[in-house]
Amino acid sequence: MRQSHLFTKTRREAPKDEVAKNAELLIRAGYIHKEMAGVYSYLPLGLRTLNKIIGIIREEMDAIGGQEVHLTALQDRKAWEATHRWGDDVVDNWFKTKLKNGQDVGLAFTHEEPLTQLMRDHLRSFRDLPVSVYQFQTKFRNEERAKSGIIRGREFLMKDMYSFDADERAHQEFYEKVKGAYARIFERVGLGDATFLTFASGGSFSRYSHEFQTITDAGEDTIYVDKIKKIAVNKEVLTDEVLKDVGIVRSDLAEKKAVEVGNIFSLGTRFSEALGLNYKDAEGKSKPVIMGSYGIGPGRVMGTIAEIRSDDKGLVWPESVAPFAVHLIALYDESGRVKQTADEAYAALRRKGIEVLYDDRDVSAGEKFSDADLIGIPMRYVLSARTIGQASIESKDRRTGEAGMLPISRIASSL
Ligand code: ATP
Ligand code: MG
């Protein structure tokens, strides 16, 4: 993409009321737009990064057998009354409204109820199980505080997966598979080193749920981390009994602030019993389906990467989620030769299928460099009268700062 065509502009200052580093940087670099607190739009650069994160999650969900769907945000109150989750006294973050005829509808903050209900039309016998279903879908939550940028939105994208199994053993087997898939996802998006499998409260059907918590001061959660064993315990459940059960000792633990980037949960038969999702076993006996739910917020993941992969100059994306792989920068020269060479280099990179942001704008070198630092594309290639005099391009790695010269003829093959 030619930067002269990109409609977004970088800016020196984020909005005055923005307090989160992730949103500050992403707004300044033109990735997102703030509509109001906790409500953000994704602009071309931001959407590219969000879609890369979504792509990685989708690959890993498909790899464990997930089937992708897309459910509605608008919800009929009936299913939620059956599980006792319609009342504002029980769930305090509902956004609700009414149809013209006065019927109540809610904007879904999660999807256990509608999916369980939907599955009644499709799951009948033990032969129909196991099934796992997932979606990328907009959730609405009237969050009390929305001060963490895109880490805590009032409208946000969630990948939510739900599993349906005949028995507890099959459920546990799938639960372990999701654990593995989540570990791979956080590794691939560049959060592997900072993300810990964390024991958290389990609800009524299992002792624990598991959170994937990424250590950063921007986090709203407090966890206790055993760095050697690579596990953690959420402060919510930290007791001597739990530590013993998990097999860690207090003196090995460090208290850390962290962001919950993912969450996996055994639901047992809570939803299947309330909504009548049953199957017939091999003897023809009717039994409630065993369920699990597994969430990740792609926007929250993006905000968390922005928090931990950035410096005083701007964003520093890992290659796997960067909006472009290369930032090609042509510095102005009167003869027009640099521009011509850069146009050719841009075409050569594109022919190789490499995603390039090409800074072909008529602005100063200083402005181009500071914008490039802010936008944070991993690899920068600079062409100037000086470099083309040596038939070379200057390369600089945004992540390591490593710089070098490369023959122009080799740029497309160097990546
Ligand atoms: P939290 O404890 O942070 O409020 P939660 O436990 O309510 O989150 P879940 O309902 O389990 O979150 O949602 C699944 C995933 O969706 C979370 O792990 C997180 O990645 C993401 N998520 C939850 N709430 C938000 C939000 N307000 N904005 C962005 N992502 C969110
Ligand atoms: Mg939570």
Side-chain angles (χ1 to χ4, degrees):
M1 175 171 214
R2 286 177 181 269
Q3 211 165 332
S4 59
H5 291 184
L6 186 65
F7 78 82
T8 58
K9 302 284 178 288
T10 60
R11 44 195 273 192
R12 254 179 245 288
E13 308 282 346
K16 289 228 161 27
D17 61 344
E18 188 55 71
V19 291
K21 180 167 82 172
N22 68 84
E24 228 171 85
L25 285 171
L26 291 166
I27 290 169
R28 285 184 47 218
Y31 282 70
I32 61 171
H33 169 80
K34 184 174 193 169
E35 184 64 31
M36 59 182 125
V39 185
Y40 298 88
S41 299
Y42 287 76
L43 306 179
L45 293 174
L47 188 60
R48 289 183 75 98
T49 289
L50 187 71
N51 280 335
K52 296 243 163 119
I53 295 167
I54 289 172
I56 290 169
I57 298 172
R58 180 178 282 127
E59 276 178 24
E60 297 296 342
M61 294 298 97
D62 288 345
I64 57 170
Q67 302 182 49
E68 189 169 353
V69 296
H70 190 92
L71 303 187
T72 65
L74 280 181
Q75 294 293 307
D76 186 340
R77 65 186 279 175
K78 280 190 219 89
W80 302 83
E81 278 173 343
T83 60
H84 308 289
R85 290 214 289 180
W86 177 257
D88 292 326
D89 48 338
V90 188
V91 174
D92 66 356
N93 63 15
W94 268 115
F95 280 106
K96 289 175 182 164
T97 185
K98 279 185 197 303
L99 301 182
K100 296 272 190 210
N101 67 6
Q103 185 190 328
D104 285 318
V105 288
L107 294 172
F109 61 93
T110 182
H111 275 88
E112 281 84 1
E113 280 81 349
L115 186 61
T116 306
Q117 199 162 52
L118 182 162
M119 285 313 229
R120 287 195 312 215
D121 293 348
H122 301 279
L123 302 182
R124 292 189 188 123
S125 100
F126 67 97
R127 290 189 193 85
D128 298 329
L129 301 171
V131 173
S132 56
V133 172
Y134 75 96
Q135 61 175 346
F136 293 93
Q137 198 267 354
T138 302
K139 302 285 187 266
F140 296 87
R141 292 184 183 181
N142 201 347
E143 301 271 5
E144 177 124 42
R145 281 177 306 278
K147 293 196 167 143
S148 295
I150 59 170
I151 289 176
R152 186 172 297 284
R154 293 189 163 114
E155 171 180 340
F156 64 96
L157 199 62
M158 193 196 286
K159 185 286 298 174
D160 41 333
M161 178 183 252
Y162 305 88
S163 63
F164 302 87
D165 281 289
D167 54 43
E168 190 53 39
R169 192 194 48 78
H171 165 70
Q172 274 310 323
E173 213 170 276
F174 186 73
Y175 192 90
E176 290 304 314
K177 273 194 199 167
V178 180
K179 258 192 210 168
Y182 272 35
R184 285 191 292 279
I185 289 165
F186 297 121
E187 188 65 46
R188 288 179 63 186
V189 301
L191 293 177
D193 292 347
T195 302
F196 291 81
L197 180 70
T198 303
F199 291 79
S201 74
S204 45
F205 281 94
S206 64
R207 182 105 205 250
Y208 306 107
S209 68
H210 292 90
E211 297 170 340
F212 288 77
Q213 292 273 5
T214 306
I215 293 176
T216 157
D217 286 336
E220 295 176 23
D221 289 13
T222 301
I223 61 168
Y224 290 82
V225 182
D226 185 326
K227 284 224 158 128
I228 309 287
K229 296 208 170 96
K230 259 228 116 178
I231 52 176
V233 174
N234 195 306
K235 189 178 185 177
E236 286 174 355
V237 297
L238 185 82
T239 61
D240 288 338
E241 197 197 339
V242 166
L243 290 179
K244 193 165 157 229
D245 187 43
V246 172
I248 54 183
V249 290
R250 201 176 271 256
S251 55
D252 291 342
L253 302 180
E255 185 186 290
K256 299 281 180 193
K257 286 273 164 220
V259 173
E260 180 206 301
V261 284
N263 192 349
I264 65 179
F265 222 92
S266 292
L267 300 171
T269 54
R270 162 151 173 34
F271 294 92
S272 52
E273 285 196 52
L275 291 158
L277 177 63
N278 300 309
Y279 73 97
K280 290 233 175 351
D281 72 7
E283 276 83 51
K285 225 174 102 196
S286 181
K287 288 187 169 158
V289 173
I290 312 278
M291 291 174 53
S293 73
Y294 315 87
I296 295 183
R300 181 176 285 193
V301 168
M302 178 169 158
T304 306
I305 300 169
E307 289 285 342
I308 70 172
R309 299 290 195 106
S310 52
D311 59 23
D312 54 349
K313 296 197 182 78
L315 298 154
V316 187
W317 296 110
E319 214 178 315
S320 59
V321 302
F324 293 92
V326 174
H327 205 158
L328 178 67
I329 298 176
L331 299 188
Y332 179 75
D333 84 317
E334 255 167 37
S335 73
R337 274 186 62 216
V338 171
K339 178 128 183 20
Q340 193 194 332
T341 312
D343 282 351
E344 285 163 16
Y346 177 52
L349 286 163
R350 293 200 353 161
R351 272 198 303 277
K352 284 268 177 183
I354 294 163
E355 295 174 305
V356 193
L357 182 63
Y358 171 24
D359 194 346
D360 59 341
R361 299 173 303 164
D362 284 326
V363 301
S364 73
E367 194 170 328
K368 291 191 176 195
F369 290 144
S370 64
D371 279 354
D373 281 338
L374 181 58
I375 291 168
I377 291 167
M379 193 53 84
R380 178 188 311 178
Y381 285 161
V382 181
L383 278 166
S384 64
R386 180 175 63 82
T387 72
I388 65 166
Q390 304 167 36
S392 290
I393 204 159
E394 199 179 308
S395 71
K396 190 169 178 200
D397 191 312
R398 177 74 178 90
R399 297 152 295 181
T400 60
E402 207 176 304
M405 296 294 272
L406 206 73
I408 289 175
S409 57
R410 280 207 11 234
I411 57 160
S413 60
S414 69
L415 283 153

